[in-house]
């Protein structure tokens, strides 16, 4: 029987391999966004989706050049559930050496929202409230279109993520913003 870490175990594992508060916060944010979408698409497995989000960048701080590869190795050594490994590693498809193309709804949502949560987070920090709570789609789109703003957040990956989901870009932006507002 494979091992499925709980959300708390995933959080502890993330903290074991990541010391930068930014990386910990990013894991928490993506975890919350995944839980939000799981309530709609897979309500029986909200914690599973949240743990996937928490662990998606497990190796990034220590091994950025081998991102997803080291995570897969670590998780296999722990005998973690294959579906979880695949979902976690699929977010790096096309950007890392991950061979896992996002196929399930969970994988597609993780792929689509990972970069976008970074963009929304950066845009939120520019607001007087320093929060996405009062952000509107119009101002998010303005930041999205400004290639110099949060330049490390790939607009191509975000757009590809929307396409993989069969959503218009505005739908992905709004729904991810809504997910972040709900946290």
């Amino acid at each position: 029987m494979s091992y499925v870490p709980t959300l708390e175990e995933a959080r502890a594992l993330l903290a074991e391999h990541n010391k930068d508060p930014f990386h910990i916060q990013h894991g928490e944010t993506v975890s919350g966004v995944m839980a939000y979408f799981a309530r709609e698409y897979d309500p029986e497995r909200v914690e599973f989706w949240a743990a996937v989000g928490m662990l998606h960048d497990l190796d990034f701080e220590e091994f950025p050049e081998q991102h997803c590869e080291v995570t897969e190795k670590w998780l296999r050594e722990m005998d973690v559930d294959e579906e979880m490994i695949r979902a976690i590693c699929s977010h790096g498809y096309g950007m890392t050496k991950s061979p896992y193309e996002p196929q399930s709804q969970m994988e597609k949502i993780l792929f689509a929202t990972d970069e976008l949560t970074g963009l929304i987070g950066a845009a939120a920090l520019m607001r007087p409230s320093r929060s996405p709570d009062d952000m509107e789609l119009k101002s998010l789109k303005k930041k999205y279109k400004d290639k110099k703003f949060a330049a490390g957040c790939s607009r191509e990956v975000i757009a590809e993520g929307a396409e993989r989901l069969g959503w218009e870009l505005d739908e992905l932006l709004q729904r991810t913003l809504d997910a972040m507002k709900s946290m």
Side-chain angles (χ1 to χ4, degrees), residues 94-109:
M95 299 166 284
T96 68
K97 293 180 182 176
S98 174
Y100 305 105
E101 182 173 358
Q103 293 177 348
S104 71
Q105 190 73 1
M106 176 178 51
E107 292 167 356
K108 291 175 185 178
I109 288 172

Side-chain angles (χ1 to χ4, degrees), residues 96-129:
T96 68
K97 293 180 182 176
S98 174
Y100 305 105
E101 182 173 358
Q103 293 177 348
S104 71
Q105 190 73 1
M106 176 178 51
E107 292 167 356
K108 291 175 185 178
I109 288 172
L110 178 60
F111 182 89
T113 61
D114 177 30
E115 295 284 311
L116 182 51
T117 60
L119 181 74
I120 293 170
L125 291 176
M126 303 298 293
R127 304 182 69 75
S129 67

Side-chain angles (χ1 to χ4, degrees), residues 3-180:
Y3 167 59
V4 176
T6 66
L7 182 55
E8 284 309 311
E9 290 168 333
R11 185 174 282 119
L13 189 57
L14 181 68
E16 182 181 323
H17 292 283
N18 291 268
K19 304 306 175 207
D20 185 331
F22 174 81
H23 292 134
I24 301 292
Q25 183 57 50
H26 179 64
E28 292 284 353
T29 300
V30 174
S31 176
V33 167
M34 293 300 290
Y36 175 90
F37 283 108
R39 287 183 196 94
E40 178 179 348
Y41 293 104
D42 196 359
E44 302 298 315
R45 300 192 321 145
V46 172
E47 185 167 348
F48 185 90
W49 284 48
V52 164
M54 186 69 67
L55 293 173
H56 82 284
D57 278 349
L58 181 62
D59 63 6
F60 189 78
E61 189 173 309
E62 295 174 305
F63 299 97
E65 299 301 317
Q66 296 170 285
H67 183 39
C68 296
E69 294 173 74
V70 174
T71 292
E72 181 176 10
K73 177 181 174 276
W74 288 340
L75 297 179
R76 289 200 185 287
E77 288 170 358
M78 296 170 58
D79 196 30
V80 168
D81 177 75
E82 186 66 29
E83 181 186 13
M84 184 171 273
I85 292 171
R86 187 189 150 68
I88 290 166
C89 295
S90 72
H91 90 278
Y93 185 75
M95 299 166 284
T96 68
K97 293 180 182 176
S98 174
Y100 305 105
E101 182 173 358
Q103 293 177 348
S104 71
Q105 190 73 1
M106 176 178 51
E107 292 167 356
K108 291 175 185 178
I109 288 172
L110 178 60
F111 182 89
T113 61
D114 177 30
E115 295 284 311
L116 182 51
T117 60
L119 181 74
I120 293 170
L125 291 176
M126 303 298 293
R127 304 182 69 75
S129 67
R130 300 185 60 78
S131 166
D133 292 347
D134 58 352
M135 189 183 304
E136 298 295 329
L137 178 60
K138 182 179 176 181
S139 47
L140 176 57
K141 285 173 65 173
K142 187 175 178 184
K143 295 294 188 190
Y144 177 87
K145 289 176 183 174
D146 179 358
K147 302 287 191 243
K148 292 178 187 166
F149 179 78
C153 297
S154 171
R155 275 59 168 182
E156 293 78 23
V157 168
I158 295 167
E160 180 184 338
E163 188 176 310
R164 285 181 179 278
L165 284 163
W167 298 353
E168 293 296 323
L169 179 62
D170 281 5
E171 180 181 2
L172 175 62
L173 296 176
Q174 184 64 62
R175 292 183 74 183
T176 306
L177 183 58
D178 292 344
M180 289 180 69

